[in-house]
Amino acid sequence: MEAFPSDKQYHSCRNSQVKITGLVVVQNMKIIGLHCSSKDLHAGQIAIVKHASNLRGCDLYFSRKPCATCLKMIVNAGVNRISYWPADPEISLLNEIGNSTDATLDAKAVERLKSNSRAHVCVLLQPVPCYMQQFVEETSKKSDFLQKICKTDPSFKLDEYFVKYRKNKFREFEQLFLILEPEVHKDILKKIGLENLCEDPFFSNLRQHMNDLIFLLASVNASVPDISDFGFYCRDLQGTENVHEQSISQETARHCMIQARLLSYRTEDHKIGVGAVIWAEGKSGHCDGTGTLYLVGCGYNCYPVGSEYADFPQMDDQQKDREIRKYRYIIHAEQNVFTFRCRDIKEEEKTMFFVTKCPCDECVPLIKAAGIKQIFTGDLDAGKVKDDITYKTFSELQGVRKFIWQNNPFKVSASTHSVSRILTTAEERARDLEAHSGHLARMH
């Protein structure tokens, strides 16, 4: 959420030296809010404005340690747990920024609030499993978006693109989420009351865990191509392509799709993970760094809640007995996002559905019945039949703007226009030369 695309009014805030803070609000293991700090409010304050007494019993995950102003309110709201990314807090303590004395006093106030509160406040230290990075890399390369480029452009070198783009993204996230100098990082940790993390092996492990998580995020980011060459554009799957202006920017659409890709890694399906997230564009509520956008719900494909994974069939081979296939038991990401959404879908507001895979015939009627008018997805499976599931209904869906990840039509048209200009110029020069030659002949 720190990297959530900003509008023009918020642009100046992101260029300031106060760090943007992202926040995830979780209630009963369900994400009910995704927020980032705005020009006027910190992430913790936004949580109070958006959720108020509903924060009781919730778990809050901050991308920066919350300041005293935020912490005293969210603690008073009765939250269960507050976790944060162990870098510099929202009011930065780096020496060259602002008044370090005030920042240090604030950090001490945070520690006092933390030690006296009922809520459990902790550093978010979750090491990435040893196999996770390899799994994410392999599945990212197989993502609907990259595979579509491979099919449409034979010259596209997938491995080369993925490694290069991930490297660039890692550098970008490293600047955003890490304090690059270890000694400066230790000094920050001491000032915010985390002296116990400054000694090895704790400090080395901390840095390694942070690097691993950032590398993981960069890998997921590389699975959705950059919008300069590719993007979400509205087109009729049955015929000609018609480009329409979508309600949100290309950057925001791509960011929301990456959120869906991240969700897909929570899957219980051993073969493929699918993630879905719904955002709506409200008519008010500009306090959040997301502008008028707010989260409606998110989901991923899994078996029913409370069941044992091994109790259900795992097979997906269509050659096997239908009775031992998984399709009748797996709950699709689209189905889960409606089941566990945190807000109602309002007909008068623009609601946008982001899903990493083309919706199947089971899910399309749900999306249509919910009144959602915009679907952002890939379309490699559109119109196909796979085992017990078909994707034909999505292609025939009427009254919905389907935004499909495809080659940038604006770039193509721009290139065509350039070629046209060159040809026109060449023709004009040829006519000029011909006229000039005729003039010289007459003079002769």
Side-chain angles (χ1 to χ4, degrees):
M1 290 305 296
E2 279 197 16
F4 196 91
S6 58
D7 55 30
K8 293 180 180 179
Q9 294 178 345
Y10 191 37
H11 188 69
S12 58
C13 174
R14 289 190 180 271
N15 287 339
S16 69
Q17 293 179 323
V18 175
K19 295 287 186 179
I20 303 302
T21 301
L23 171 63
V24 181
V25 182
V26 179
Q27 186 179 62
N28 298 325
M29 299 300 292
K30 180 178 73 175
I31 296 174
I32 65 170
L34 295 174
H35 309 288
C36 57
S37 51
S38 66
K39 185 177 180 180
D40 301 315
L41 294 175
H42 294 182
Q45 294 172 313
I46 290 169
I48 294 293
V49 172
K50 296 286 188 181
H51 302 282
S53 60
N54 291 329
L55 287 177
R56 182 171 298 278
C58 288
D59 295 335
L60 273 59
Y61 296 86
F62 287 86
S63 64
R64 309 270 162 182
K65 187 174 182 180
C67 66
T69 302
C70 294
L71 192 60
K72 64 186 179 184
M73 288 193 294
I74 58 179
V75 163
N76 202 45
V79 299
N80 176 55
R81 181 186 295 267
I82 301 165
S83 302
Y84 58 92
W85 181 255
D88 55 319
E90 188 166 9
I91 298 179
S92 181
L93 292 171
L94 295 175
N95 293 329
E96 67 270 22
I97 296 178
N99 188 334
S100 60
T101 303
D102 287 343
T104 304
L105 290 173
D106 185 83
K108 290 180 178 179
V110 167
E111 286 305 303
R112 183 169 292 183
L113 286 163
K114 170 184 167 183
S115 59
N116 292 333
S117 69
R118 295 185 300 272
H120 183 59
V121 184
C122 64
V123 175
L124 184 60
L125 282 176
Q126 296 183 351
V128 176
C130 57
Y131 63 85
M132 190 65 178
Q133 183 57 58
Q134 181 182 354
F135 175 69
V136 170
E137 181 173 342
E138 290 175 355
T139 52
S140 291
K141 289 180 180 179
K142 295 177 183 177
S143 71
D144 212 22
F145 313 111
L146 290 182
Q147 289 302 311
K148 180 167 184 178
I149 302 174
C150 291
K151 289 192 174 185
T152 56
D153 184 3
S155 64
F156 180 70
K157 297 178 180 178
L158 177 58
D159 291 330
E160 184 179 320
Y161 169 88
F162 185 83
V163 171
K164 181 180 178 181
Y165 194 82
R166 179 176 60 183
K167 184 177 180 181
N168 293 338
K169 274 296 172 183
F170 179 79
R171 288 174 179 170
E172 179 184 326
F173 294 147
E174 196 177 40
Q175 293 290 332
L176 185 62
F177 299 121
L178 275 183
I179 301 170
L180 298 181
E181 292 295 329
E183 292 305 316
V184 176
H185 193 186
K186 284 183 179 180
D187 187 45
I188 293 293
L189 291 173
K190 290 175 182 177
K191 287 182 179 179
I192 63 177
L194 297 174
E195 295 90 346
N196 58 323
L197 292 177
C198 294
E199 300 296 329
D200 281 330
F202 305 109
F203 184 71
S204 298
N205 289 339
L206 170 69
R207 299 279 293 184
Q208 186 61 49
H209 295 164
M210 294 172 77
N211 268 287
D212 289 345
L213 284 167
I214 291 171
F215 197 72
L216 200 71
L217 182 60
S219 296
V220 177
N221 232 279
S223 69
V224 184
D226 191 274
I227 60 170
S228 59
D229 295 317
F230 301 88
F232 288 104
Y233 301 98
C234 183
R235 73 183 179 98
D236 182 1
L237 294 178
Q238 297 179 13
T240 58
E241 297 185 359
N242 296 311
V243 179
H244 300 280
E245 183 181 355
Q246 58 200 55
S247 60
I248 57 173
S249 68
Q250 286 280 315
E251 291 85 358
T252 303
R254 182 178 180 275
H255 185 89
C256 294
M257 187 55 71
I258 290 170
Q259 290 176 335
R261 286 280 300 153
L262 283 166
L263 279 163
S264 69
Y265 288 104
R266 299 188 66 179
T267 184
E268 292 178 351
D269 188 336
H270 68 282
K271 183 179 179 182
I272 186 168
V274 181
V277 61
I278 303 176
W279 284 85
E281 190 173 38
K283 296 183 179 180
S284 61
H286 299 275
C287 70
D288 208 325
T290 60
T292 56
L293 294 180
Y294 66 90
L295 178 74
V296 174
C298 53
Y300 53 93
N301 56 332
C302 64
Y303 289 102
V305 173
S307 58
E308 294 294 332
Y309 175 79
D311 286 347
F312 293 107
Q314 309 294 312
M315 298 297 296
D316 55 10
D317 188 349
Q318 62 180 337
Q319 303 300 324
K320 302 293 183 181
D321 184 5
R322 289 170 60 90
E323 189 176 342
I324 61 173
R325 292 187 216 161
K326 64 186 180 183
Y327 295 117
R328 296 182 186 277
Y329 306 96
I330 285 281
I331 302 171
H332 298 185
E334 299 93 326
Q335 296 164 350
N336 260 332
V337 77
F338 286 118
T339 304
F340 296 112
R341 69 182 186 275
C342 53
R343 287 176 176 81
D344 290 332
I345 295 171
K346 300 177 182 178
E347 189 176 348
E348 68 275 12
E349 294 181 346
K350 293 178 181 177
T351 307
M352 292 150 282
F353 195 99
F354 300 86
V355 60
T356 58
K357 193 173 177 60
C358 180
C360 70
D361 293 358
E362 283 186 28
C363 300
V364 167
L366 284 174
I367 298 171
K368 188 174 182 180
I372 292 175
K373 299 299 183 186
Q374 295 185 9
I375 305 174
F376 294 77
T377 184
D379 71 336
L380 276 181
D381 293 329
K384 292 183 180 179
V385 177
K386 289 191 172 182
D387 301 333
D388 286 347
I389 298 179
T390 72
Y391 298 87
K392 293 182 177 180
T393 306
F394 181 71
S395 301
E396 300 164 1
L397 189 61
Q398 300 296 322
V400 175
R401 295 172 69 186
K402 293 166 283 192
F403 289 91
I404 309 299
W405 193 261
Q406 62 172 310
N407 288 332
N408 188 340
F410 296 109
K411 186 172 184 178
V412 172
S413 62
S415 302
T416 304
H417 181 65
S418 299
V419 172
S420 177
R421 285 284 302 275
I422 293 170
L423 290 173
T424 303
T425 304
E427 290 171 356
E428 289 173 350
R429 288 182 177 177
R431 286 196 297 269
D432 289 343
L433 285 171
E434 186 179 354
H436 184 63
S437 298
H439 177 68
L440 287 175
R442 285 193 296 273
M443 285 182 67
H444 181 69

